[in-house]
């Protein structure tokens, strides 16, 4: 067991380091602005006094590394400073929206993961049949379409032509759970379509490469029943790639959410980020980027740790 | 039950019988599933759902027919070695080539094909389609059709530039890392790891919020974000080549690094790199379209597919299909490139099971 703990510990340390480097990147990217933030926010027409006042308010008189440490310490406690445009606390703006985004992403994930893995395994077992080819073309098309294309097609069919679901996913905290599910169905379905296609292809590839390995052939040749080959011989080694596929696609979901939220005017963190970028509200941009990047890194970390934990060769060392 | 529905199922069942008679098991299975699916669709969606299925089948048949004709055309034009390759190519790949060719023609000859300029206001806002404006007007009264044609030049051109730049950075980094090894290898590898650990859309949004949204900035930012993927592939491919004996021999001959890269490694690494170029182009194209859709990419009045979707999105709530055409144009090109890449990977992998 010692090997596994060491491997996981090393991976965790590496993940933490990556997160630290990424936070440095996000913070100091803003320092690349010509002039400084105060100048950029107030524009060319600002008087010297107002620029100086804003500088003081934002603590720009201190050197950048000190400000970075302050920012990082605040971020760890969930405090990202104050919005440059509205003056609200960034954490107060982000908090509820982050929960909305998490809700949308998990809604999509709960539908997509079992669906995609079942389909992926099925297609792998039926490989080179006509169904496999049809599935290949269909999933390729879904992957290649921009999220907003799928989203608008769903709006056209389910909201405009049949009015079965609302086109604009306006949700609030006072709604019942069923109502939330109903109103955010179309954005979730868009994400499900894209993620399912990705996940199916990856599951198929993983299972096929597994079924081609010599020890499966050996099991088949010695007369083990097909069902037993899959459950007893293939599945223990298939967990690692499947967990990997799931985690990678959840990470993908995090990015896909931005475009989908804008299409359906869903009050989530992705929409907030896009608004903040066009208004150049840097504290919000930095906070959103850090949250997205942290989620992304965590999910990738989970993929690696899951792969280590489910690897039979590591769990039962000789 | 209308005549259409009866005819629909009669054709399906007759085709199934034919397939069974000629012993074509896969075709029969496909038709069988299609019949079941149509029955379900008919139950829930009624006649419109069946009409939609018929339309989709007609479009597929048309695409297959075009690809078949295009394959014959290409085989005649090129002849010889290429003819045999083309005859063995799947129809999907040929369809991909056809779409790419059409886009290239539209992009190159845009000013000749398009009846109006891309920023020219020729009518009232959202004017319906007529003989002069094939697809109607957009939210400012510009001709949609002309803008879609010009979009082929702008959107695809910028994505192509960004991909080329990403390839230049990534492939150069990968080759140098493979040839030199040691500290340089580790250093470039770590930088690539950091860039890849931030989601690409988020990273580009961060950079665009700082440097503003000009075309130069977009091209450079997107190139930097996607170069690590190229780097990793090049590093892996070149890493396998560098350990070969003929590289050792060239080194002993006293050849420099640049010679090794140019004359010994690159010729052996072309096939996977070309396939990766196609894939990379798809990612870059989708990212830039996404940014444009968010209003942060290519800025108006330049015609661009992503921003055209956003600007005309209100039309969708009236059941209009026009705003979806630029989005479909994006999807079609990405699918086409993917089909061709699939074919190339399949050819170069030698896995022809």
């Amino acid at each position: 067991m010692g090997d596994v703990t060491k491997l996981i510990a090393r991976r965790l340390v590496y993940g933490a380091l990556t997160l630290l480097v990424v936070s440095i990147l996000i913070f100091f990217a803003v320092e690349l602005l010509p002039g400084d933030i105060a100048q950029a926010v107030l524009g060319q027409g600002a008087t010297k006094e107002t620029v100086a006042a804003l500088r003081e308010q934002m603590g720009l008189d201190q050197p950048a590394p000190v400000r970075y440490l302050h920012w990082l310490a605040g971020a760890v406690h969930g405090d990202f400073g104050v919005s440059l445009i509205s003056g609200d606390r960034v954490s107060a703006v982000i908090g509820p929206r982050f929960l909305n985004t998490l809700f949308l992403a998990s809604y999509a994930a709960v539908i997509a993961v079992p669906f995609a893995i079942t389909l992926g395994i099925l297609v792998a077992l039926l490989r080179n049949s006509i169904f496999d080819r049809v599935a290949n073309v269909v999933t390729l098309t879904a992957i290649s379409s921009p999220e907003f294309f799928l989203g608008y097609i769903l709006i056209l069919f389910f909201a405009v032509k049949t009015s079965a679901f609302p086109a604009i996913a306006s949700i609030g905290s006072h709604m019942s759970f069923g109502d939330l599910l109903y109103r955010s169905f179309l954005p979730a379905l868009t994400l499900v379509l894209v993620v399912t296609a990705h996940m199916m292809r990856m599951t198929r590839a993983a299972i096929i490469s597994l079924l081609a390995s010599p020890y499966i052939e050996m099991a088949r040749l010695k007369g083990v029943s097909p069902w037993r080959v899959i459950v007893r011989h293939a599945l223990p080694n298939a967990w690692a790639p499947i967990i990997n596929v799931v985690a990678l696609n959840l990470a993908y979901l995090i990015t896909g959410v931005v475009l989908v939220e804008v299409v359906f005017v869903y009050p989530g963190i992705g929409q907030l980020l896009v608004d903040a970028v066009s208004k150049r509200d840097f504290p919000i941009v930095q906070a959103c980027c850090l949250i997205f990047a942290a989620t992304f890194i965590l999910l990738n970390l989970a993929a690696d740790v899951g792969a280590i934990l489910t690897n039979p060769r590591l769990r039962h060392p000789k | 039950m209308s005549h259409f529905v009866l005819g629909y199922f009669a054709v399906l069942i007759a085709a199934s019988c034919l397939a069974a008679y000629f012993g074509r098991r896969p075709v029969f299975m496909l038709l069988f599933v299609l019949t079941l699916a149509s029955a379900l669709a008919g139950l829930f969606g009624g006649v419109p759902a069946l009409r939609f299925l018929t339309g989709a089948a007609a479009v597929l048949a048309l695409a297959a027919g075009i690809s078949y004709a295009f394959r014959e055309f290409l085989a005649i034009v090129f002849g010889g070695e290429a003819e045999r390759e083309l005859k063995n190519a799947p129809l999907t790949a040929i369809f991909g080539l056809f779409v790419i060719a059409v886009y290239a023609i539209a992009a190159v000859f845009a000013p000749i094909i398009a009846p109006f300029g891309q920023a020219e206001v020729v009518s009232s806002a959202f004017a319906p389609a007529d003989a002069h404006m094939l697809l109607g007007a957009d939210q400012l009264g510009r001709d949609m059709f002309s803008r879609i044609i010009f979009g082929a030049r702008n959107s695809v051109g910028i994505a192509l530039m960004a991909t080329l730049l990403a390839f230049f950075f990534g492939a150069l980094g990968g080759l140098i890392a493979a040839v030199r090894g040691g500290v340089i290898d580790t250093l470039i590898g770590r930088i690539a790891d950091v860039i890849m650990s931030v989601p690409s859309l988020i990273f580009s949004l961060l950079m665009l919020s700082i440097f503003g949204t000009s075309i130069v900035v977009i091209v450079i930012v997107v190139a930097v974000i996607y170069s690590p993927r190229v780097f990793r592939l090049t590093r892996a491919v070149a890493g396998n080549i560098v350990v070969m004996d003929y590289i050792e021999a060239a080194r002993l001959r006293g050849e420099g690094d640049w010679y090794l890269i140019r004359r010994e490694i690159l010729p052996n690494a072309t096939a996977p790199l070309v396939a990766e170029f196609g894939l990379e182009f798809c990612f870059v194209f989708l990212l830039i379209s996404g940014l444009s859709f968010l209003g942060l990419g290519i800025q108006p009045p330049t015609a661009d597919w992503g921003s055209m979707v956003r600007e005309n999105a209100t039309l969708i709530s009236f059941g209009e299909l026009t705003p979806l055409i630029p989005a479909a144009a994006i999807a079609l090109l990405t699918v086409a490139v993917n089909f061709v890449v699939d074919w190339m990977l399949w050819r170069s992998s030698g896995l022809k099971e």
Side-chain angles (χ1 to χ4, degrees):
Chain A
M1 222 32 210
D3 267 3
V4 178
T5 347
K6 209 187 279 173
L7 265 178
I8 292 179
R10 188 186 295 160
R11 192 64 193 80
L12 287 178
V13 170
Y14 186 67
L17 270 181
T18 315
L19 194 53
L20 194 70
V21 174
V22 167
S23 78
I24 293 177
L25 189 72
I26 290 175
F27 184 83
F28 284 94
V30 176
E31 299 292 317
L32 291 176
L33 272 175
D36 65 0
I37 304 185
Q39 191 77 56
V41 168
L42 294 172
Q44 293 297 322
T47 59
K48 279 209 172 100
E49 289 77 32
T50 46
V51 173
L54 187 63
R55 257 185 208 145
E56 181 125 358
Q57 185 203 330
M58 295 174 66
L60 287 183
D61 37 2
Q62 288 166 327
V66 177
R67 276 182 290 126
Y68 167 69
L69 288 180
H70 273 293
W71 179 73
L72 190 65
V76 171
H77 293 105
D79 174 20
F80 290 98
V82 182
S83 158
L84 292 181
I85 308 292
S86 63
D88 297 331
R89 295 215 68 77
V90 174
S91 48
V93 181
I94 288 184
R97 282 172 167 264
F98 183 54
L99 289 182
N100 286 345
T101 296
L102 271 187
F103 170 72
L104 182 60
S106 23
Y107 187 5
V110 165
I111 302 175
V113 171
F115 188 54
I117 290 182
T118 322
L119 280 180
I121 294 178
L122 213 60
V123 172
L125 292 179
L126 294 171
R127 65 184 176 284
N128 292 335
S129 72
I130 195 146
F131 294 104
D132 185 29
R133 292 207 197 125
V134 172
N136 180 33
V137 171
V138 171
T139 51
L140 200 64
T141 314
I143 290 174
S144 311
S145 311
E147 285 91 344
F148 52 85
F149 183 47
L150 293 175
Y152 280 128
I153 288 183
L154 291 181
I155 288 187
L156 188 69
F157 279 106
F158 289 104
V160 179
K161 297 244 155 139
T162 58
S163 63
F165 292 96
I168 290 179
S170 53
I171 63 166
S173 49
H174 56 277
M175 289 175 188
S176 72
F177 189 63
D179 215 18
L180 283 183
L181 288 184
Y182 172 69
R183 280 170 181 269
S184 47
F185 180 71
L186 286 188
L189 186 61
T190 314
L191 286 172
V192 166
L193 286 180
V194 181
V195 171
T196 303
H198 268 283
M199 228 187 278
M200 251 180 84
R201 289 175 77 85
M202 288 164 82
T203 313
R204 176 184 178 275
I207 300 283
I208 283 184
S209 74
L210 195 67
L211 289 181
S213 49
Y215 79 101
I216 297 285
E217 177 116 36
M218 168 71 197
R220 266 202 209 118
L221 288 178
K222 78 179 182 196
V224 178
S225 68
W227 180 242
R228 208 175 145 77
V229 167
I230 291 181
V231 175
R232 285 285 299 167
H233 297 265
L235 212 52
N237 275 314
W239 283 126
I242 288 180
I243 287 179
N244 211 3
V245 168
V246 171
L248 286 182
N249 279 287
L250 292 185
Y252 174 79
L253 206 61
I254 295 298
T255 343
V257 111
V258 175
L259 285 166
V260 172
E261 278 180 6
V262 173
V263 170
F264 291 94
V265 205
Y266 185 89
I269 189 174
Q271 175 133 42
L272 181 71
L273 173 61
V274 173
D275 285 348
V277 167
S278 48
K279 287 181 196 152
R280 313 191 83 186
D281 193 346
F282 294 111
I284 292 191
V285 174
Q286 283 175 325
C288 291
C289 286
L290 191 63
I291 290 175
F292 274 120
T295 326
F296 194 72
I297 292 172
L298 275 181
L299 284 168
N300 277 316
L301 193 63
D304 286 356
V305 171
I308 295 173
L309 279 180
T310 49
N311 188 339
R313 256 167 271 164
L314 286 174
R315 264 185 309 159
H316 308 291
K318 282 179 196 151
Chain B
M1 208 177 256
S2 70
H3 291 294
F4 172 72
V5 179
L6 284 178
Y8 181 89
F9 282 104
V11 167
L12 267 184
I13 291 170
S16 313
C17 291
L18 276 180
Y21 181 75
F22 287 107
R24 305 296 289 271
R25 203 179 128 84
V27 180
F28 177 76
M29 289 299 282
L30 186 72
L31 286 169
F32 181 69
V33 172
L34 197 61
T35 317
L36 276 186
S38 313
L40 279 179
L43 270 181
F44 290 109
V47 179
L50 290 185
R51 279 190 198 280
F52 175 76
L53 278 179
T54 321
V59 169
L60 270 183
L62 187 68
I66 290 176
S67 323
Y68 192 79
F70 192 61
R71 176 157 75 184
E72 298 303 313
F73 168 73
L74 284 181
I76 292 170
V77 169
F78 290 107
E81 181 76 10
E83 187 174 346
R84 216 170 25 129
E85 284 283 359
L86 285 165
K87 291 273 181 192
N88 286 328
L91 275 186
T92 46
I94 302 294
F95 179 69
L97 285 177
F98 176 71
V99 172
I100 294 172
V102 169
Y103 276 55
I105 291 172
V108 173
F109 299 108
I112 302 173
I113 300 172
F116 302 102
Q118 54 176 328
E120 201 179 330
V121 177
V122 290
S123 161
S124 59
F126 295 131
D130 58 26
H132 297 291
M133 294 184 297
L134 295 173
L135 296 171
D138 71 353
Q139 88 284 8
L140 294 179
R142 294 168 297 191
D143 180 35
M144 268 295 249
F145 179 71
S146 307
R147 281 178 69 75
I148 288 176
I149 298 290
F150 273 103
R153 177 178 272 194
N154 303 328
S155 313
V156 180
I158 288 172
L160 209 56
M161 272 198 298
T163 318
L164 283 173
L165 199 61
F167 240 76
F168 178 72
F169 289 154
L172 196 67
L175 291 170
I176 290 177
V179 173
R180 286 281 170 86
V183 186
I184 294 181
D185 187 10
T186 325
L187 189 72
I188 304 183
R190 285 287 169 274
I191 296 175
D193 281 354
V194 169
I195 296 179
M196 280 186 82
S197 65
V198 186
S200 48
L201 182 65
I202 307 299
F203 202 169
S204 45
L205 283 178
L206 176 71
M207 288 302 162
L208 291 182
S209 75
I210 292 163
F211 296 113
T213 49
S214 69
I215 288 177
V216 179
V217 170
I218 293 174
V219 169
I220 294 177
V221 164
V222 171
V224 167
I225 289 174
Y226 276 103
S227 49
R229 297 175 44 94
V230 189
F231 164 77
R232 282 203 178 168
L233 182 87
T234 321
R235 173 74 189 77
V237 173
N240 288 334
I241 298 174
V242 161
V243 292
M244 296 282 179
D245 285 342
Y246 58 82
I247 300 284
E248 190 68 41
R251 280 221 167 106
L252 290 176
R253 251 189 354 248
E255 305 288 3
D257 287 345
W258 182 236
Y259 177 90
L260 286 181
I261 289 176
R262 209 162 37 90
R263 300 300 298 272
E264 307 283 354
I265 299 178
L266 264 185
N268 289 305
T270 342
L273 283 184
V274 170
E276 176 69 13
F277 186 83
L279 282 181
E280 198 75 10
F281 172 79
C282 291
F283 287 122
V284 167
F285 188 46
L286 284 178
L287 177 67
I288 294 185
S289 309
L291 288 174
S292 301
F293 172 74
L294 296 174
L296 301 164
I298 302 161
Q299 296 297 317
T302 313
D304 164 75
W305 291 335
S307 33
M308 283 169 75
V309 178
R310 173 65 166 274
E311 287 160 2
N312 298 297
T314 38
L315 275 183
I316 293 176
S317 43
F318 301 107
E320 283 275 342
L321 279 173
T322 3
L324 288 179
I325 294 174
I330 297 169
L332 189 62
L333 181 59
T334 332
V335 175
V337 174
N338 264 316
F339 279 156
V340 177
V341 167
D342 254 15
W343 176 45
M344 283 162 58
L345 282 177
W346 177 77
R347 256 186 40 187
S348 68
S349 70
L351 273 174
K352 297 181 179 166
E353 51 151 343

